Amino acid sequence: MKKIALILMTFLSLSIFAQENKSEAGGPPKLDELIGFWKKVEIPNEDKLNQVNSWPQKYQWFAFYENGKVYSMMSSQDYNYTSKELKEIFSVLPFDKTPNFNLSGQFLTIDNKEIKDYEEVWGVNLFAIDVNDFLKKGNLIMSLDDGKGNVIYYRLLKRID
């Protein structure tokens, strides 16, 4: 577990100092690299690595759209959705009640107009190379801050083509 935490912390730390600059390992995604469909990938020992888990179901899917909307769903059962299937699923959700996102360099902010003063600030990094067996090129790591500079939750996403 310490090795996984060290890898994640090192990568995130290097990327924070790099801000807009990408390192050999990766860096902040561009908007066109973020847009699309993603599936959560399990990080080894993530139940010990994450201090909180506001998203208790193991399987999660996300969609970032060019219009600034972010859709998500979770399940206790796994499924290999295609991007076409996810597009259909997310299309039935009400546009005006769907959270918005804003990508600014290394930070992704998500707000939800349905919940007063709701805001999530995530550090985001897109891997440019394979780092190990689970941190692969093209994966997106998201780290949630507690508002005091402490990472309390990691989410690793794999693009769905």
Side-chain angles (χ1 to χ4, degrees):
M1 164 143 141
K2 288 182 181 180
K3 184 177 179 182
I4 294 166
L6 182 60
I7 291 170
L8 292 173
M9 294 301 282
T10 301
F11 184 77
L12 291 173
S13 298
L14 291 173
S15 296
I16 286 171
F17 292 115
Q19 282 297 318
E20 296 294 327
N21 299 327
K22 292 198 176 208
S23 72
E24 179 182 309
K30 296 177 191 163
L31 183 59
D32 65 332
E33 294 172 318
L34 179 66
I35 300 301
F37 299 93
W38 300 84
K39 180 179 181 179
K40 182 180 173 291
V41 176
E42 189 171 350
I43 300 170
N45 298 315
E46 74 180 41
D47 56 331
K48 294 177 182 153
L49 181 65
N50 289 329
Q51 296 174 23
V52 299
N53 189 357
S54 301
W55 301 271
Q57 293 182 315
K58 184 175 181 175
Y59 304 102
Q60 302 171 19
W61 298 266
F62 301 86
F64 294 93
Y65 285 90
E66 289 178 359
N67 64 7
K69 294 293 184 179
V70 58
Y71 294 82
S72 65
M73 69 176 187
M74 60 181 133
S75 172
S76 57
Q77 301 218 348
D78 193 11
Y79 190 80
N80 288 319
Y81 290 109
T82 65
S83 57
K84 181 180 177 185
E85 290 169 319
L86 287 171
K87 186 175 183 178
E88 288 176 28
I89 292 167
F90 291 138
S91 72
V92 301
L93 299 174
F95 180 83
D96 60 331
K97 296 182 188 248
T98 300
N100 300 298
F101 78 90
N102 181 45
L103 179 63
S104 179
Q106 165 128 15
F107 298 99
L108 176 75
T109 305
I110 297 175
D111 67 35
N112 188 338
K113 303 295 185 214
E114 293 293 300
I115 303 170
K116 184 178 172 34
D117 298 325
Y118 182 87
E119 183 178 76
E120 297 173 15
V121 178
W122 294 86
V124 289
N125 289 282
L126 188 67
F127 288 95
I129 62 171
D130 290 354
V131 175
N132 57 27
D133 290 340
F134 65 94
L135 298 174
K136 300 288 189 179
K137 179 179 179 179
N139 284 2
L140 180 72
I141 187 82
M142 299 176 68
S143 58
L144 182 63
D145 187 287
D146 66 357
K148 299 174 187 167
N150 304 306
V151 176
I152 56 172
Y153 184 80
Y154 292 95
R155 176 184 289 147
L156 182 62
L157 302 178
K158 178 182 176 182
R159 180 173 293 284
I160 299 171
D161 294 318

